[in-house]
């Protein structure tokens, strides 16, 4: 496997498959036939598309298969161009650059698990379901969507359900066919010690976080977001004060009110990779050498925030007058 700057590898798209209406699956392999980096359920691949856009996609293949990665991409009509490019331009033989970023949604359950997927949120949960089954952990899945035609991997889920012995472990609910799903009733009926892993739209995750059962035991619910959570601090605003950022070579860049560190660095000529610009993907995570960050992302844990060793440049700011960054 050939690697380039910033531990990126050149990969080749070897398969493009429609997994559902508006969802395309991509298989990525090493053009030289080598093994790809190991990963665990919940991991993302950070992909640099041929047009320069950087996007994060959950790996939804088998972690034991080191020869290929699989991701699935939903076409987003209101997106910023990445999903449209994937759907319209990527073909077998296309080269992309990719790397594994930080693991922000690790699977670590040792007791019964309830997986809740909303739409494309099924992708990080698929490997978790396989891992739970392989470890002999009792699991069940509630997969929510508007229509079955737009819900990816139903065939794989049915096969996994069948291999696990059936028994009502999987519930697929299409609201366009069956009406709203009783999420409150689902959580009211959690088994003792059952952990919830959820991924999907913000309204789904917010509803889970607000449920009294899960709110009373925060560690019982583990989520991955596509967008900043309702409780995430706001990004840069005009009320913020200016501060100075110093790079590791001594260059100083003033960050004015209402301007992100990322934009200030870009204006000063620093090439800093970014993707979501909302503090949710981790592409712009940067080591902090000195100073105290004002964390405004939705990704770092409380312990990571307290340590202050890294920060997300797209939304976070400085609690003092100066930050020194490893750039």
């Amino acid at each position: 496997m050939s690697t380039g700057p910033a531990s990126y590898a050149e990969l080749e798209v070897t398969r493009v498959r429609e997994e559902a209406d508006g969802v395309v699956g991509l298989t990525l392999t090493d053009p030289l036939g080598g093994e790809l980096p190991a990963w665990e359920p919940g991991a993302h691949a950070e992909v640099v598309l041929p047009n320069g856009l950087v996007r994060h996609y959950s790996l939804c293949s088998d972690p034991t298969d080191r020869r290929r990665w699989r991701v699935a991409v939903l076409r987003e009509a209101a997106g910023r161009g990445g999903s449209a490019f994937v759907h319209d331009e990527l073909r077998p033989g296309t080269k992309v650059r990719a790397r594994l970023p930080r693991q922000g949604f690790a699977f670590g359950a040792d007791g019964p698990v309830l997986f809740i997927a909303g739409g494309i949120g099924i992708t990080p949960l698929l490997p978790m379901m396989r891992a739970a089954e392989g470890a002999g952990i009792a699991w069940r899945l509630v997969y929510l969507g508007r229509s079955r035609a737009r819900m990816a991997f139903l065939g794989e889920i049915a096969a996994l359900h069948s291999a696990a012995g059936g028994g009502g472990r999987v519930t697929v609910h299409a609201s366009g066919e069956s009406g709203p799903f009783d999420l409150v009733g689902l959580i009211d009926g959690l088994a003792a010690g059952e952990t919830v892993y959820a991924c999907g739209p913000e309204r789904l995750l917010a509803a889970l976080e607000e449920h009294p059962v899960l709110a009373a035991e925060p560690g019982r619910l583990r989520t991955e977001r596509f967008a900043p959570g309702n409780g995430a601090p706001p990004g840069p605003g005009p009320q913020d004060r200016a501060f100075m950022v110093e790079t590791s070579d001594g260059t100083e860049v003033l960050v004015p009110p209402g301007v992100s560190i990322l934009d200030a660095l870009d204006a000063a000529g620093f090439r800093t990779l970014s993707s979501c610009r909302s503090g949710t993907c981790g592409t712009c995570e940067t080591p902090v050498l000195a100073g105290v960050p004002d964390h405004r992302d939705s990704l770092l844990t409380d312990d990571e925030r307290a340590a202050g060793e890294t920060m997300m440049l797209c939304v976070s700011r400085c609690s003092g007058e100066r930050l020194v960054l490893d750039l």
Side-chain angles (χ1 to χ4, degrees):
M1 180 175 182
S2 57
T3 58
S7 299
Y8 282 86
E10 183 179 75
L11 300 183
E12 181 176 342
V13 178
T14 54
R15 186 182 187 188
V16 179
R17 172 178 170 174
E18 185 178 20
E19 302 291 356
D21 290 351
V23 179
V24 65
L26 305 176
T27 299
L28 307 175
T29 62
D30 177 9
L32 302 180
E35 289 190 339
L36 303 181
W39 59 282
E40 296 181 353
H44 280 207
E46 182 179 284
V47 178
V48 183
L49 300 172
N51 63 356
L53 292 176
V54 181
R55 294 293 183 264
H56 283 240
Y57 302 120
S58 295
L59 292 171
C60 55
S61 44
D62 182 352
T64 65
D65 184 353
R66 296 286 302 277
R67 296 290 178 179
R68 58 188 58 82
W69 288 347
R70 184 182 65 177
V71 301
V73 182
L74 170 69
R75 180 188 285 273
E76 299 183 72
R80 293 176 291 123
S83 66
F85 185 89
V86 168
H87 278 253
D88 297 338
E89 304 295 336
L90 293 195
R91 300 288 183 272
T94 303
K95 301 294 195 301
V96 299
R97 289 191 298 133
R99 68 172 178 175
L100 277 180
R102 68 195 301 280
Q103 167 64 276
F105 191 39
F107 178 66
D110 55 8
V113 183
L114 168 61
F115 298 108
I116 303 177
I120 197 64
I122 189 65
T123 49
L125 302 184
L126 272 176
M128 294 185 187
M129 292 159 56
R130 296 190 185 99
E133 182 63 25
I137 296 172
W139 62 271
R140 55 186 177 133
L141 167 70
V142 172
Y143 186 9
L144 308 175
R146 289 189 177 181
S147 70
R148 288 176 177 262
R150 296 182 60 82
M151 300 170 75
F153 305 121
L154 289 178
E156 286 186 31
I157 292 169
L160 181 60
H161 183 205
S162 177
R169 293 186 177 205
V170 173
T171 299
V172 177
H173 183 92
S175 60
E177 304 164 10
S178 305
F181 182 78
D182 182 11
L183 194 63
V184 171
L186 174 69
I187 303 305
D188 283 342
L190 282 179
E194 192 170 26
T195 304
V196 179
Y197 283 78
C199 183
E202 177 57 29
R203 64 184 181 278
L204 169 64
L205 303 186
L208 291 171
E209 290 173 339
E210 292 166 4
H211 191 288
V213 170
L214 297 176
E217 300 180 68
R220 197 173 181 185
L221 171 65
R222 303 173 191 183
T223 64
E224 183 171 55
R225 287 184 144 81
F226 304 144
N230 291 336
Q239 74 283 357
D240 291 313
R241 57 186 177 78
F243 58 93
M244 190 68 70
V245 164
E246 180 181 339
T247 66
S248 49
D249 67 359
T251 303
E252 293 184 333
V253 177
L254 179 67
V255 183
V259 176
S260 69
I261 298 175
L262 185 67
D263 287 340
L265 289 171
D266 286 348
F270 287 88
R271 181 180 178 274
T272 306
L273 285 177
S274 65
S275 177
C276 70
R277 292 185 173 263
S278 62
T280 59
C281 76
T283 301
C284 66
E285 184 175 5
T286 300
V288 178
L289 302 179
V292 180
D294 173 9
H295 295 292
R296 303 186 182 187
D297 63 275
S298 299
L299 193 60
L300 295 176
T301 65
D302 289 341
D303 288 343
E304 290 169 331
R305 290 169 184 258
E309 296 176 352
T310 68
M311 66 185 300
M312 307 302 164
L313 303 186
C314 61
V315 292
S316 297
R317 298 185 72 74
C318 179
S319 293
E321 298 181 354
R322 176 181 295 266
L323 286 170
V324 182
L325 303 177
D326 187 9
L327 288 171

